[in-house]
Amino acid sequence: EAQVTQNPRYLITVTGKKLTVTCSQNMNHEYMSWYRQDPGLGLRQIYYSMNVEVTDKGDVPEGYKVSRKEKRNFPLILESPSPNQTSLYFCASSLSSRTGAFYGYTFGSGTRLTVV
Amino acid sequence: KQEVTQIPAALSVPEGENLVLNCSFTDSAIYNLQWFRQDPGKGLTSLLLIQSSQREQTSGRLNASLDKSSGRSTLYIAASQPGDSATYLCAVRLQGAQKLVFGQGTRLTINP
């Protein structure tokens, strides 16, 4: 089944303790991205990657890191989490638009992160 | 800056009714528009994708239209069912930008 898989689904952590949220897709998509969803603010892009070793900042990158060493994986790293990073996080992937066609996005099931 | 607005924020209708959800966007320079469904605490499920050159897309009881010149899209749901209860989000993919811009969503409740 074509899908984007995120782990863990739920995570409670303490301020300052480094964590990684994993994201993997099995559709051979070049493009991957991370979003966070907050009440009243909607979904906002954190980082995106156009392909292996190519990443760039989205609208709210502060406090986050990403890496793209393999095409299928795009982990989100919080080096020193703070309570304002408590949110629902989504990973998404899409075929690249370089061919001239613009494809839709497939989203993962989400990771609910609580930082205390 | 692209802004996406969805009205109404919440809608409650009896089962069996046909209904329309609205989405408007401020910048017509989009590649495509995508409608998603989100169940409480869950991920986003893609419903329909409309390319900027298209006027509408249909999938089962769902029909989405796009009028790029006026910055509007509608999602029509025919013969609504309680299982359609969810939050519906529209998102536009901007030209020259690698991201989706989302509306705040319409929370739909279908009453049996």
Side-chain angles (χ1 to χ4, degrees):
Chain A
E1 180 187 354
Q3 60 185 355
V4 176
T5 303
Q6 294 179 229
N7 281 297
R9 290 293 311 279
Y10 302 92
L11 179 60
I12 301 175
T13 190
V14 297
T15 299
K17 185 177 181 182
K18 180 179 179 179
L19 65 92
T20 299
V21 183
T22 64
C23 173
S24 180
Q25 50 92 7
N26 61 2
M27 297 167 282
N28 202 35
H29 286 171
E30 295 90 353
Y31 177 90
M32 297 185 75
S33 182
W34 278 100
Y35 288 81
R36 62 178 287 176
Q37 185 176 34
D38 302 288
L41 296 175
L43 281 131
R44 296 174 292 168
Q45 189 186 55
I46 303 170
Y47 267 96
Y48 66 91
S49 169
M50 295 298 293
N51 214 324
V52 176
E53 303 292 0
V54 180
T55 63
D56 208 347
K57 297 177 181 178
D59 295 322
V60 287
E62 295 78 19
Y64 304 95
K65 284 177 57 177
V66 293
S67 68
R68 188 91 180 272
K69 294 183 170 56
E70 306 166 280
K71 196 172 186 179
R72 64 182 291 124
N73 295 323
F74 190 45
L76 179 69
I77 303 159
L78 285 72
E79 295 263 354
S80 182
S82 62
N84 65 11
Q85 292 178 298
T86 292
S87 187
L88 181 57
Y89 291 85
F90 290 103
C91 181
S93 72
S94 172
L95 282 171
S96 169
S97 65
R98 287 173 298 168
T99 61
F102 300 101
Y103 299 93
Y105 288 70
T106 300
F107 278 76
S109 298
T111 295
R112 185 167 293 281
L113 172 66
T114 302
V115 183
V116 298
Chain B
K1 178 186 172 187
Q2 177 75 270
E3 292 184 1
V4 180
T5 304
Q6 291 186 246
I7 295 173
L11 181 64
S12 180
V13 301
E15 180 178 2
E17 281 203 3
N18 303 324
L19 57 99
V20 174
L21 306 181
N22 296 295
C23 172
S24 62
F25 48 95
T26 54
D27 188 343
S28 61
I30 64 171
Y31 283 139
N32 56 42
L33 183 146
Q34 198 166 357
W35 282 93
F36 295 90
R37 167 189 173 135
Q38 184 176 26
D39 294 286
K42 300 288 181 63
L44 279 68
T45 301
S46 180
L47 299 173
L48 289 164
L49 171 71
I50 310 177
Q51 302 292 349
S52 62
S53 58
Q54 297 176 323
R55 297 285 292 184
E56 66 178 319
Q57 283 286 335
T58 298
S59 176
R61 294 182 294 108
L62 305 180
N63 176 276
S65 68
L66 175 64
D67 184 342
K68 208 171 66 159
S69 62
S70 67
R72 294 174 188 267
S73 176
T74 62
L75 178 67
Y76 174 83
I77 302 177
S80 58
Q81 304 170 356
D84 294 330
S85 298
T87 295
Y88 290 79
L89 296 158
C90 75
V92 297
R93 183 167 185 171
L94 305 178
Q95 290 186 11
Q98 297 298 335
K99 69 176 181 181
L100 292 176
V101 179
F102 283 85
Q104 293 282 347
T106 294
R107 189 172 68 253
L108 176 65
T109 303
I110 308 298
N111 302 304

